[in-house]
Amino acid sequence: MPSLRKTIALLGVLPLVSAQEVDLVRRKAAENAIYKDPNAPVEARVSDLLSRMTIEEKTAQLLQGDISNWINTTTNEFNYTGLVANMDQKAGQFYVGYPVPQNWISEGVRKAQEYLIQNTTLGIPAFVQTEGIHGFLVGNATIFNSPIGQACSFDPELIQKMGAAIAEESLALGVNQLFAPLADLARELRYGRVEETFGEDGHLVGEMAYSVVKGIQGGNVSATVKHFAGFSNPEQGLNTGPVHGGERELRTTWLPPFKRAIIDAGAYSIMGAYHSYDGIPSIADHHLQTEILRNEWGYKYWITSDAGATDRLCCSFKMCACKPIDMEAVTMYALPAGNDVEMGGGSYNYKVIPQLVESGKLDLDVVDTAVARQLRAKFELGLFEEPYKGVSGNKTQALIHTTEHVKLARQIDAESIVLLENRNSILPLKKSANIAVIGPMADFANLGDYVVYQSQYNPSNVTPLQGIRNATKGKVTYAKGCERWSNDQSGFKDAVKAAKKADVAVVVVGTWSRDQQELWVGLNATTGEHVDVSSLNLVGAMGPLVQAIIETGKPTVVVFQSGKPVSEPWISKSASALVQQFYPGEQGGNALADVLFGDVNPSGKLSVSFPYDVGTLPVYYDFLNSGRPSNPDAGSILPNGTIQFGHQYVIGTPAPLYEFGYGKSYSNFTYSNITVSKTNVSASDTITVSVNITNKSKVDGKEVVQVYVQDMIASVAVPNIQLKAFKKVLVKAGKTEQVDLSLNVADWGVWDMKMKYVVEPGEFTVWAGSSSKDLRGNATVTVV
């Protein structure tokens, strides 16, 4: 395809003219263009703008730029030449997630958007991008707890407020796109990125991801749902490894939470994944990205690859030559399959699009379709009318890290904490108690991954030790005991001494991750992106430290602060109390103290099941019928050392130690009068499940009422039971509340032997309970 300048000359409109003259002609022609009219229909604006773009301009929309090309991230020096060069080839979107002062980002974004609007021919604004799964990834923004913890709140409304808060902070600096939320499932616990997920269950994950999208986009920022799809169950638990599964598993297990977040919530963008599913790399999967996403679901916006993912087609999957990389092959695999935009971190293979179109190897319609999808999102978001919404530096404090956002972070963290054990009601602690705080996580801000560099040193962070000191009037003694990464037990003596002198010991141990810079330079960690494990036990001296403190005979409260389940069943049996706090946010210490001292009655429920041992994986609750015996012949090692041999397993059990949805309270709830509004239904019906919840304790508390559906007879093997509704409710001491939950019968279908989705006639049991195991009552519903 000849350039526009040559085309004009060939048509005889002008003699062979300069690029500047062509630019003036095009600018003049676009002065009153339809695409500039905010009142014109979006599709008319997209079509009009697309018709005016050169192939080079279209290509530039499909490559990700980076603010570091024009803002020196060490000195803040502005490089105008770098800005021009970046926008010449990578103008559609650019990344800004660097550990630099906020005003550097804000000013760099403003200069970029002004350049695009004022100094480019068509004035197309850019998406401005960074991470946002538990806070706006820039320095001094509010840090919320990790998604695996957020999901334990079972409170979508609260999580939507978090999404709105993150959007507000982002937009204050002109950032209009966040890489959040994840709709991946935590089905493989060895995998390092469990902390980034909302847990193991498709319904819970879908509701949480839906709420984040609604919160973010309600704040006029684009959400990006990731990682599409089926990514988080890699072979051997190894990051980016192949995922094995078939079409039915894809549609039954992996796609529903994505559909909820993408289609129902209306997400403006999606991020692809690094893996292959059934041998097909995700970013080159036409069936997934086009036939299902676009043709079946009707999705009309855009997909970007993950960083460097396109290069993997050649260099990891060996589908083309790697050195030098076959850019043509990469582009022809990914773009026609439906991967619209190429993120940075690789070779920028899409820059060969003009040559491929000119040679006839790539259909221009494929390029136009990809560009149109992104332009459509920009028009819908209002970027052409207001490309930069950043505020001046003296106004950011009113929008970023506000008192309201910090308070929200503390509330979400406290509502996410799960009480696993509480023998003799040792908790809540008395505020006058003499407390020994022990452990390598006790005075450490354990924030998880996807926070900006050195966030753990923010003065606003509250560690467990600080939180306990803030809350108590009694004496608090601290002993670290050991380092989190070491076998050295030399610190045990001081820890034991502190415990013996105290009324109660609080021991904080678990896993740890790193911020996005430290994680990738190879510093030690036990969770995070590309940090996978073969064991779920405590590392180093932490287990022996817990044992040493328990053996003092003093009441011992163990706190697991982690990014995934910890498998130490002996602690469950031996500790006075056991508390699970998945990676907290900046208010984690205060939130933990709120629960330990009873200012907050724990209401968190596990978003992921805990196995007895890594060898029993997977332990997710919704296994397919026939997958797990209801009464396994389990073996064990008795306290006197005798081996009691079993068969399922010889030693151990396939059942989880703590099941999905489990969590104790300081209150005691009973369930009664479980009814359904209709017992004979059609596939199009919505029914109401009603249940009475009575709080028989003297303490107000919140209960998460969970409703599961069991398909009694199905034409294919289906999950033995599935969560279909939940609601967190406050029940005051001595009171009863009627809780009503809606169920859509259309959600009870299966993918049958012909791979058609159908709600089959027959009997279904609707269960209500306090966890996936603790089911308190049921009703029978017949689909006719």
Side-chain angles (χ1 to χ4, degrees):
M1 173 178 284
S3 70
L4 185 61
R5 186 161 66 98
K6 289 182 179 179
T7 300
I8 292 173
L10 289 170
L11 291 173
V13 177
L14 291 172
L16 192 58
V17 292
S18 68
Q20 291 80 3
E21 290 172 313
V22 171
D23 183 53
L24 287 172
V25 171
R26 296 178 65 214
R27 281 174 181 262
K28 185 68 174 177
E31 282 182 356
N32 298 306
I34 293 172
Y35 81 88
K36 292 186 176 181
D37 180 2
N39 298 313
V42 167
E43 291 309 307
R45 299 178 77 183
V46 170
S47 179
D48 179 62
L49 178 53
L50 200 61
S51 71
R52 298 171 185 275
M53 297 173 71
T54 66
I55 187 60
E56 290 79 14
E57 288 167 338
K58 293 173 182 177
T59 301
Q61 290 294 304
L62 305 182
L63 287 160
Q64 183 195 44
D66 197 289
I67 197 172
S68 64
N69 289 328
W70 61 93
I71 298 296
N72 187 305
T73 57
T74 302
T75 67
N76 197 31
E77 181 182 359
F78 176 56
N79 178 358
Y80 181 78
T81 302
L83 175 60
V84 173
N86 182 100
M87 297 310 177
D88 184 55
Q89 293 190 344
K90 305 162 190 170
Q93 57 280 310
F94 59 87
Y95 183 75
V96 301
Y98 289 95
V100 300
Q102 291 178 2
N103 65 303
W104 293 17
I105 294 173
S106 183
E107 280 300 295
V109 171
R110 182 185 60 78
K111 290 175 180 177
Q113 295 286 37
E114 287 180 355
Y115 173 82
L116 287 169
I117 300 304
Q118 299 171 10
N119 295 83
T120 63
T121 306
L122 297 172
I124 305 173
F127 277 116
V128 184
Q129 309 166 319
T130 191
E131 302 286 350
I133 61 172
H134 57 118
F136 178 31
L137 198 145
V138 298
N140 301 314
T142 309
I143 299 175
F144 297 88
N145 58 336
S146 287
I148 190 69
Q150 295 166 19
C152 293
S153 74
F154 276 74
D155 194 334
E157 292 182 6
L158 203 56
I159 300 308
Q160 184 167 333
K161 291 180 181 178
M162 180 198 72
I166 296 172
E168 182 177 69
E169 298 195 1
S170 304
L171 211 56
L173 301 187
V175 176
N176 55 37
Q177 184 182 2
L178 291 167
F179 296 151
L182 272 73
D184 297 325
L185 303 179
R187 311 286 277 191
E188 168 53 88
L189 300 182
R190 296 173 296 178
Y191 172 61
R193 303 182 75 174
V194 166
E195 68 197 73
E196 299 174 36
T197 76
F198 287 120
E200 72 183 44
D201 175 70
H203 181 74
L204 176 63
V205 171
E207 293 307 300
M208 290 293 167
Y210 172 94
S211 297
V212 173
V213 172
K214 284 295 188 181
I216 289 174
Q217 295 194 169
N220 213 38
V221 172
S222 170
T224 305
V225 182
K226 57 184 185 176
H227 304 88
F228 193 67
F231 175 52
S232 53
N233 193 26
E235 183 177 287
Q236 292 190 287
L238 298 176
N239 186 47
T240 75
V243 176
H244 304 291
E247 177 87 0
R248 183 169 289 100
E249 182 175 358
L250 180 70
R251 290 180 177 273
T252 301
T253 302
W254 297 104
L255 290 183
F258 278 97
K259 188 175 184 182
R260 179 68 171 146
I262 293 168
I263 302 303
D264 294 349
Y268 286 131
S269 63
I270 300 170
M271 186 185 296
Y274 289 118
H275 72 304
S276 64
Y277 187 91
D278 194 24
I280 306 297
S282 172
I283 60 167
D285 192 337
H286 183 269
H287 178 56
L288 177 67
Q289 297 179 119
T290 298
E291 293 178 353
I292 295 178
L293 179 66
R294 272 65 183 252
N295 297 346
E296 290 185 25
W297 294 2
Y299 187 63
K300 58 185 180 179
Y301 303 114
W302 59 291
I303 302 178
T304 178
S305 65
D306 206 338
T310 45
D311 282 15
R312 285 175 53 81
L313 292 171
C314 291
C315 302
S316 296
F317 297 113
K318 310 298 182 185
M319 294 165 63
C320 39
C322 179
K323 296 182 179 179
I325 195 163
D326 189 340
M327 294 185 176
E328 177 180 318
V330 170
T331 304
M332 293 304 295
Y333 274 127
L335 184 59
N339 184 87
D340 305 304
V341 171
E342 183 177 24
M343 190 181 281
S347 302
Y348 297 106
N349 302 279
Y350 278 19
K351 65 186 177 184
V352 302
I353 287 174
Q355 298 95 290
L356 291 174
V357 171
E358 185 170 4
S359 68
K361 295 179 180 178
L362 178 62
D363 194 325
L364 181 60
D365 285 344
V366 172
V367 181
D368 286 352
T369 298
V371 176
R373 289 167 177 161
Q374 186 179 139
L375 294 178
R376 187 175 292 117
K378 290 180 177 181
F379 284 123
E380 295 275 12
L381 199 61
L383 294 189
F384 282 79
E385 287 67 57
E386 196 172 1
Y388 177 74
K389 292 191 176 183
V391 299
S392 58
N394 61 355
K395 293 183 179 180
T396 57
Q397 288 185 343
L399 298 170
I400 299 177
H401 203 258
T402 64
T403 301
E404 292 78 11
H405 293 174
V406 173
K407 182 180 179 181
L408 179 62
R410 180 171 179 168
Q411 181 184 2
I412 294 173
D413 218 323
E415 298 255 346
S416 303
I417 291 172
V418 184
L419 179 61
L420 299 177
E421 303 288 349
N422 191 22
R423 291 185 175 82
N424 301 316
S425 298
I426 188 69
L427 295 177
L429 301 174
K430 294 179 180 179
K431 291 189 178 180
S432 59
N434 177 350
I435 302 172
V437 181
I438 296 166
M441 275 70 175
D443 196 25
F444 168 61
N446 200 8
L447 299 174
D449 69 356
Y450 281 92
V451 292
V452 80
Y453 181 50
Q454 296 194 331
S455 292
Q456 63 268 41
Y457 305 116
N458 289 351
S460 57
N461 294 335
V462 182
T463 68
L465 175 61
Q466 291 170 318
I468 290 171
R469 283 177 170 163
N470 291 342
T472 182
K473 298 177 181 177
K475 182 181 179 181
V476 177
T477 306
Y478 168 62
K480 192 172 188 178
C482 66
E483 298 290 353
R484 60 185 183 272
W485 56 76
S486 172
N487 285 310
D488 183 7
Q489 299 185 11
S490 61
F492 281 23
K493 182 178 179 181
D494 289 342
V496 168
K497 182 179 178 181
K500 286 181 176 179
K501 290 184 177 181
D503 299 323
V504 62
V506 176
V507 187
V508 190
V509 293
T511 65
W512 71 98
S513 191
R514 296 280 185 174
D515 63 54
Q516 280 302 286
Q517 190 161 323
E518 289 187 342
L519 196 64
W520 290 98
V521 298
L523 297 180
N524 62 51
T526 50
T527 73
E529 188 169 0
H530 84 272
V531 182
D532 311 307
V533 294
S534 60
S535 169
L536 297 174
N537 299 123
L538 294 170
V539 170
M542 284 191 282
L545 174 65
V546 174
Q547 182 176 359
I549 302 307
I550 290 175
E551 287 178 350
T552 65
K554 287 299 178 81
T556 301
V557 178
V558 177
V559 178
F560 286 156
Q561 201 176 77
S562 64
K564 60 174 61 179
V566 173
S567 288
E568 296 288 3
W570 66 272
I571 293 179
S572 299
K573 294 178 180 179
S574 305
S576 304
L578 180 58
V579 174
Q580 175 64 49
Q581 183 179 36
F582 287 115
Y583 288 146
E586 61 179 67
Q587 285 289 305
N590 281 335
L592 178 62
D594 288 339
V595 170
L596 293 180
F597 291 103
D599 293 322
V600 172
N601 190 346
S603 61
K605 300 283 189 174
L606 290 179
S607 59
V608 61
S609 302
F610 279 46
Y612 280 90
D613 182 80
V614 71
T616 68
L617 294 179
V619 292
Y620 43 78
Y621 83 94
D622 56 338
F623 58 89
L624 296 185
N625 286 328
S626 83
R628 193 178 299 164
S630 56
N631 295 295
D633 177 17
S636 63
I637 300 176
L638 302 180
N640 64 5
T642 301
I643 300 175
Q644 181 175 299
F645 285 91
H647 299 88
Q648 296 168 329
Y649 291 104
V650 170
I651 297 176
T653 172
L657 174 61
Y658 299 112
E659 72 275 8
F660 171 82
Y662 172 89
K664 290 179 174 288
S665 169
Y666 298 151
S667 300
N668 178 26
F669 301 105
T670 61
Y671 286 57
S672 61
N673 297 333
I674 298 170
T675 61
V676 291
S677 59
K678 292 178 69 175
T679 56
N680 289 281
V681 300
S682 68
S684 60
D685 283 341
T686 297
I687 65 171
T688 300
V689 181
S690 299
V691 57
N692 287 345
I693 307 298
T694 302
N695 182 351
K696 292 192 171 183
S697 73
K698 297 180 180 180
V699 182
D700 296 348
K702 293 180 179 179
E703 170 69 338
V704 177
V705 180
Q706 302 164 49
V707 174
Y708 295 82
V709 173
Q710 183 178 13
D711 188 344
M712 304 307 293
I713 302 291
S715 62
V716 294
V718 297
N720 73 102
I721 196 169
Q722 287 184 297
L723 181 71
K724 293 298 182 183
F726 61 86
K727 183 181 289 186
K728 177 175 273 192
V729 292
L730 172 65
V731 187
K732 293 188 176 294
K735 301 296 183 180
T736 297
E737 295 287 341
Q738 179 177 308
V739 183
D740 299 322
L741 303 97
S742 294
L743 292 177
N744 294 320
V745 179
D747 294 337
W748 302 1
V750 302
W751 291 93
D752 67 13
M753 290 187 179
K754 296 181 179 179
M755 205 56 69
K756 302 296 183 183
Y757 184 78
V758 58
V759 178
E760 296 180 331
E763 186 177 297
F764 293 79
T765 302
V766 177
W767 296 88
S770 190
S771 78
S772 58
K773 180 180 178 182
D774 184 10
L775 302 173
R776 306 291 182 89
N778 66 74
T780 299
V781 176
T782 302
V783 176
V784 295

